[in-house]
Amino acid sequence: MTRTPLPLLSPAPAAAPASPYESYVYAYPHKTAYRRLPDRPALRELWAAEPQHALSLYLHIPFCEVRCGFCNLFTRIGAPGELTTAYLDALERQATAVRAALGPDARFAAAAFGGGTPTFLDAGELARLCDIAERRMGADLRTVPLSVETSPSTATADRLAVLAERGATRISIGVQSFVEAEARAAVRPQDPAEVTAALDRIRESGVPVLNIDLIYGIDGQTERSWQRSLDAALQWRPEELYLYPLYVRPLTGLGRKESAGPDPEWDAQRLRLYRHGRDHLLAAGYEQVSMRMFRRPAAGPGAGPGAAGDHACQTDGMIGLGCGARSYTSALHYSFDYAVGMTRIRSLIDDYAARPAADFAHAEFGWRMTGDEPRRRHLLQSVLQAAGMPVAEYRARFGSAPADDFPVELAAFAERGWLDGTAGPDVLRLSPEGLAHSDALGPLLFSPGVRSRMAAYDLK
């Protein structure tokens, strides 16, 4: 089966999506819409008028032992020499500069360590990472939800012990498939025994919430083999499961190997496997939070940044530290330069590690949230959640109704059967079929300016 590398979005939305899998909308706008900010605004000025009583903190570690064939994250393989030390030194300099830009009463309500693979760091380095969050930023990790990403090969007992002792409430592990042949097809080398041992260690660590990531749409995957992975994951009774459709993106391992061209057969396979996985988890007692996220109700709320939905750590008041992290104020989303290709990523990590403290007091790349962008972002973040969006909430924030601001888009969604007609006038909610098409629906809400910027981005 041919795998089609994802193109960047076209400047204008099509009348109908060409595929149910146009783009995974985990943040709006995507970093390919960011550009260099000529005025390099000072962080102190950006945050001066922002509410700071319930901030979110994200620390980015851009290292992995291997890079999976589907991965387009900002990460590199390995860390030669003293690179992890140099990176943590720079992270500490950045944290000091960012904390100085905030008000004295700034408080954090949630934290997350992502990557890459944060547990690529050894136990001592993880303890230092927690110290940076606590001593430099002022986040009390033992009293707020703390989510940490890991991998089978790095979820060692000593690392997990550090995270548990420092207050981690959620560990998310990327397994992708419990079927060895499928893991190889996704260019994800892993030992099944190592996966099992890692999951056992996470459960033994006492961290209350376990999330397991799985992928569907892999070459050769069938409903039967997909259910094998689902059932294998369910043996650990994870509080959360994320089911991701496979994407083939430019400059990734799979993207370099595959040819371009439409692939309706693959689209049909992914939709079929999504529905099978959804129905299987619902029958097992899980509730659907979004297209990707499923939660065991007994887990309860507040388990970590993922517990409130896919976008919980993508809200305004987000402070990201690290070379691949983003920060969000109501007026500006900002970060450092972005790349997918390994050579450019290495260069950007080296540049970050060598930066003096003064460099971290300004925003360099970003997107200004002007015009109707806040409305689009709010609608995207809300409507892609299974619970939908209370119309009164939108009206209270913007003084209008979604149907007033997006009549064409919402009419098109209704015509395609993507809206839940039984929800009533007070809630805007997707139908089950609308949730299934979240990756087609979301991009249709992108503004012309964002689409143009993304289409013009020089992928590197």
Side-chain angles (χ1 to χ4, degrees):
M1 178 183 303
T2 300
R3 290 290 177 266
T4 308
L6 280 179
L8 294 177
L9 290 172
S10 59
S19 165
Y21 301 99
E22 294 286 307
S23 178
Y24 172 22
V25 184
Y26 62 91
Y28 178 80
H30 190 268
K31 283 175 74 173
T32 51
Y34 293 12
R35 293 294 186 272
R36 187 178 294 278
L37 302 167
D39 56 339
R40 297 185 71 241
L43 300 191
R44 188 181 299 275
E45 297 172 2
L46 288 175
W47 287 97
E50 297 291 314
Q52 298 183 22
H53 62 282
L55 300 170
S56 297
L57 180 64
Y58 176 79
L59 276 66
H60 175 243
I61 302 299
F63 307 112
C64 289
E65 289 191 330
V66 297
R67 197 179 200 202
C68 304
F70 51 83
C71 178
N72 73 334
L73 297 178
F74 192 109
T75 187
R76 61 161 292 161
I77 300 171
E82 299 297 317
L83 183 55
T84 54
T85 298
Y87 185 86
L88 289 173
D89 288 346
L91 198 68
E92 190 155 8
R93 292 193 298 273
Q94 185 186 10
T96 301
V98 172
R99 188 62 186 83
L102 300 176
D105 298 326
R107 296 290 182 270
F108 291 91
F113 301 160
T117 307
T119 50
F120 178 91
L121 302 177
D122 64 30
E125 291 168 332
L126 280 173
R128 185 182 176 192
L129 186 68
C130 293
D131 286 343
I132 291 170
E134 291 183 328
R135 299 175 185 176
R136 297 300 181 187
M137 291 303 298
D140 188 348
L141 299 182
R142 291 179 177 86
T143 63
V144 302
L146 170 61
S147 178
V148 184
E149 296 171 9
T150 192
S151 67
S153 62
T154 62
T156 58
D158 59 339
R159 292 174 169 105
L160 292 170
V162 168
L163 295 173
E165 194 278 327
R166 300 301 286 266
T169 55
R170 177 179 183 266
I171 298 290
S172 178
I173 183 168
V175 174
Q176 318 313 351
S177 177
F178 285 88
V179 179
E180 195 169 5
E182 292 179 1
R184 287 197 304 270
V187 193
R188 182 184 175 81
Q190 62 186 15
D191 179 355
E194 188 174 58
V195 174
T196 297
L199 287 163
D200 283 339
R201 287 192 296 269
I202 293 170
R203 277 311 193 199
E204 291 164 3
S205 73
V207 174
V209 174
L210 165 64
N211 173 71
I212 299 176
D213 289 345
L214 298 174
I215 284 181
Y216 56 91
I218 301 169
D219 272 350
Q221 193 175 46
T222 64
E223 284 92 334
R224 186 174 181 178
S225 67
W226 177 224
Q227 186 162 321
R228 280 178 57 195
S229 282
L230 293 165
D231 287 339
L234 289 173
Q235 291 180 19
W236 279 271
R237 287 183 56 78
E239 284 70 27
E240 296 174 9
L241 279 159
Y242 272 74
L243 309 185
Y244 289 95
L246 179 66
Y247 273 97
V248 174
R249 299 174 173 95
L251 302 186
T252 63
L254 290 175
R256 288 192 294 269
K257 297 178 181 180
E258 305 293 350
S259 59
D263 199 342
E265 182 184 350
W266 189 29
D267 288 343
Q269 179 207 22
R270 286 183 286 181
L271 269 177
R272 188 172 63 249
L273 293 175
Y274 160 78
R275 291 172 176 138
H276 185 86
R278 174 199 63 196
D279 294 346
H280 193 63
L281 292 186
L282 292 176
Y286 283 72
E287 62 180 3
Q288 186 169 17
V289 178
S290 69
M291 172 188 166
R292 286 166 172 76
M293 182 185 176
F294 295 80
R295 183 195 298 133
R296 186 157 55 86
D310 285 339
H311 67 279
C313 60
Q314 305 292 347
T315 55
D316 294 343
M318 176 77 181
I319 292 178
L321 303 179
C323 60
R326 313 175 214 218
S327 297
Y328 304 127
T329 70
S330 58
L332 179 72
H333 293 187
Y334 64 92
S335 68
F336 297 106
D337 199 3
Y338 169 74
V340 175
M342 191 62 68
T343 300
R344 181 60 176 159
I345 286 177
R346 290 194 191 105
S347 174
L348 291 174
I349 293 173
D350 290 345
D351 173 75
Y352 174 86
R355 284 172 176 256
D359 275 13
F360 295 121
H362 298 266
E364 296 189 359
F365 287 79
W367 172 268
R368 298 189 185 278
M369 297 296 289
T370 57
D372 68 354
E373 297 295 1
R375 285 175 164 82
R376 291 181 181 275
R377 182 167 182 255
H378 184 92
L379 183 59
L380 274 166
Q381 289 180 324
S382 302
V383 80
L384 294 182
Q385 304 300 301
M389 182 188 70
V391 173
E393 175 187 285
Y394 183 97
R395 189 184 296 277
R397 181 170 178 181
F398 300 110
S400 57
D404 298 331
D405 296 335
F406 303 101
V408 175
E409 293 89 340
L410 294 180
F413 299 163
E415 184 179 349
R416 292 169 188 148
W418 290 354
L419 297 183
D420 181 359
T422 69
D426 298 330
V427 178
L428 182 62
R429 187 166 60 217
L430 298 183
S431 65
E433 198 63 12
L435 276 178
H437 287 79
S438 291
D439 286 6
L441 183 153
L444 292 174
L445 291 171
F446 290 8
S447 71
V450 164
R451 298 186 70 89
S452 178
R453 281 276 192 94
M454 292 178 69
Y457 180 78
D458 183 17
L459 196 63
K460 53 188 181 293

